[in-house]
């Protein structure tokens, strides 16, 4: 074989290898929603509306604009009710995932969150229930769950506004493993990038758990902030909905109606800690 033919074959092999390496690009991510259009794919229901006098459909779940450099970005703002209105205990919003996470599969989810204001009580994550059962079970419709709140628990414990995960014994703040301390409270009006790697294998196979990574605030670069958080119910069923819930608290002891902003929800099969926006 001539040296020219050998050179051509080497060049072809190199290009083929490059194309293989480049397969894992941002285009592999599945868009759940970036809120640049309508909320037509979302359902919002208030399943425990105890407002007095009753306010019909009290939750606020709206798309709002944000000026980002020379262009306008849009995000979702979610609040359990307008300021001064209390008693809306379960303000649910959910949308179907573009791809179910089957039992035995691992998927990485990415999103950006931004605390509009404290005090508040927000939870968000994934569900393996249908809309009818989500409405029925509310918090128990969650599996992987993230939480933002500074509410006081019934046992008197005061949450500080740090991002939280679900554990078998309740909730736990995410951790700064470098300082060996709990992460600091989320800063208001600050965007955080959040990745959570969801293992939907059976519990007997070390599944029904998730790892969380964060960039933002005290974490100047992407950082593992919690390992092996636990699914809430461990039903071992396909995950099919993204779910967000918030709560004003009871009328006698309200938590507050501070909002949480959501943007750029994506998912991808396997463990992938790239940023789908880049």
């Amino acid at each position: 074989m001539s040296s020219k033919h050998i050179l051509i074959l080497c060049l072809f092999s190199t290009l083929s290898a490059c194309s293989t390496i480049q397969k894992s690009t941002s285009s592999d991510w599945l868009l759940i929603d970036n809120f640049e259009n309508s909320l037509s794919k979302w359902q919002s229901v208030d399943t425990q509306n105890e407002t007095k006098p009753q306010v019909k459909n009290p939750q606020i779940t709206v798309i709002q604009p944000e000026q980002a450099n020379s262009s306008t970005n849009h995000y979702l703002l979610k609040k359990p009710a307008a300021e001064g209105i209390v008693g809306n205990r379960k303000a649910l919003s959910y949308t179907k995932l573009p791809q179910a996470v089957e039992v035995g599969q691992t998927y990485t989810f990415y999103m950006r969150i931004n605390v509009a204001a404290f005090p508040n009580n927000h939870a968000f994550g994934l569900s393996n229930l249908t809309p009818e059962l989500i409405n029925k079970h509310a918090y128990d419709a969650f599996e992987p769950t993230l939480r933002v709140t500074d509410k006081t628990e019934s046992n008197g414990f005061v949450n500080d506004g740090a991002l939280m995960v679900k554990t078998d014994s309740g909730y736990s703040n995410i951790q700064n493993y470098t300082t060996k301390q709990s992460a600091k409270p989320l800063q208001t009006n600050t965007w955080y990038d959040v990745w959570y790697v969801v293992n939907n294998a059976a519990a007997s196979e070390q599944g029904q758990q998730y790892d969380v990574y964060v960039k933002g605030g005290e974490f100047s670069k992407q950082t593992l902030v919690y390992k092996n958080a636990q699914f809430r119910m461990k039903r071992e069923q396909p995950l099919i909905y993204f779910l967000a819930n918030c709560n004003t608290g009871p009328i006698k002891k309200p938590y507050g109606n501070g909002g949480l902003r959501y943007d750029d929800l994506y998912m991808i099969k396997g463990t992938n800690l790239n940023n789908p926006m880049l």
Side-chain angles (χ1 to χ4, degrees), residues 6-238:
I6 292 173
L7 179 61
I8 291 172
L9 285 173
C10 289
L11 179 60
F12 179 78
S13 298
T14 301
L15 291 174
S16 298
C18 289
S19 64
T20 301
I21 292 170
Q22 292 173 353
K23 280 184 179 179
S24 182
T25 64
S26 59
S27 62
D28 296 320
W29 288 85
L30 298 175
L31 176 66
I32 301 171
D33 207 331
N34 60 8
F35 307 107
E36 295 302 325
N37 296 297
S38 69
L39 292 175
S40 60
K41 296 181 180 179
W42 289 77
Q43 299 181 59
S44 292
V45 291
D46 299 297
T47 60
Q48 193 178 344
N49 182 357
E50 299 173 356
T51 57
K52 293 181 181 180
Q54 188 164 86
V55 177
K56 188 177 181 181
N57 304 319
Q59 74 168 279
I60 297 172
T61 302
V62 295
I63 292 175
Q64 290 191 336
E66 173 191 46
Q67 196 66 34
N69 300 320
S70 59
S71 61
T72 301
N73 175 61
H74 294 84
Y75 58 82
L76 179 75
L77 172 67
K78 186 167 175 63
K79 299 175 62 175
E83 294 305 315
I85 297 175
V86 298
N88 192 24
R89 305 304 309 280
K90 293 180 177 65
L92 307 173
S93 296
Y94 45 87
T95 187
K96 193 170 185 178
L97 297 176
Q99 178 67 52
V101 180
E102 301 293 344
V103 176
Q105 291 184 326
T106 294
Y107 268 75
T108 302
F109 288 79
Y110 168 87
M111 64 189 303
R112 299 193 305 132
I113 60 169
N114 181 314
V115 178
F118 287 110
N120 65 38
N121 183 27
H122 290 265
F124 53 94
L126 307 175
S127 178
N128 45 26
L129 300 184
T130 61
E132 295 77 13
L133 291 176
I134 289 174
N135 294 346
K136 177 181 178 181
H137 293 286
Y139 284 105
D140 285 344
F142 281 113
E143 290 291 4
T145 314
L146 295 163
R147 187 193 195 198
V148 179
T149 187
D150 55 346
K151 72 180 282 283
T152 301
E153 303 288 1
S154 57
N155 63 5
F157 178 79
V158 181
N159 295 292
D160 64 4
L163 184 65
M164 307 178 81
V165 299
K166 190 73 180 69
T167 70
D168 286 338
S169 58
Y171 287 99
S172 172
N173 285 359
I174 62 171
Q175 300 295 303
N176 186 325
Y177 290 122
T178 300
T179 63
K180 299 181 180 179
Q181 293 179 332
S182 168
K184 297 176 182 177
L186 295 173
Q187 300 171 16
T188 58
N189 299 306
T190 301
W191 285 105
Y192 289 79
D193 298 271
V194 180
W195 294 258
Y196 48 113
V197 181
V198 174
N199 181 351
N200 199 30
S204 61
E205 299 174 356
Q206 288 73 53
Q208 304 297 289
Q209 58 187 15
Y210 58 107
D211 299 336
V212 182
Y213 298 76
V214 168
K215 180 182 178 184
E218 68 190 285
F219 303 107
S220 59
K221 60 182 181 180
Q222 182 189 73
T223 304
L224 174 66
V225 294
Y226 210 92
K227 183 76 174 174
N228 297 334
Q230 300 296 304
F231 283 22
R232 185 181 183 102
M233 307 304 293
K234 299 183 177 68
R235 295 185 185 90
E236 300 183 359
Q237 297 174 186

Side-chain angles (χ1 to χ4, degrees), residues 253-271:
K253 292 184 178 181
Y255 309 143
N257 296 354
L260 186 64
R261 302 180 179 111
Y262 298 83
D263 203 0
D264 302 319
L265 279 61
Y266 286 85
M267 63 185 290
I268 192 168
K269 190 173 183 179
T271 299

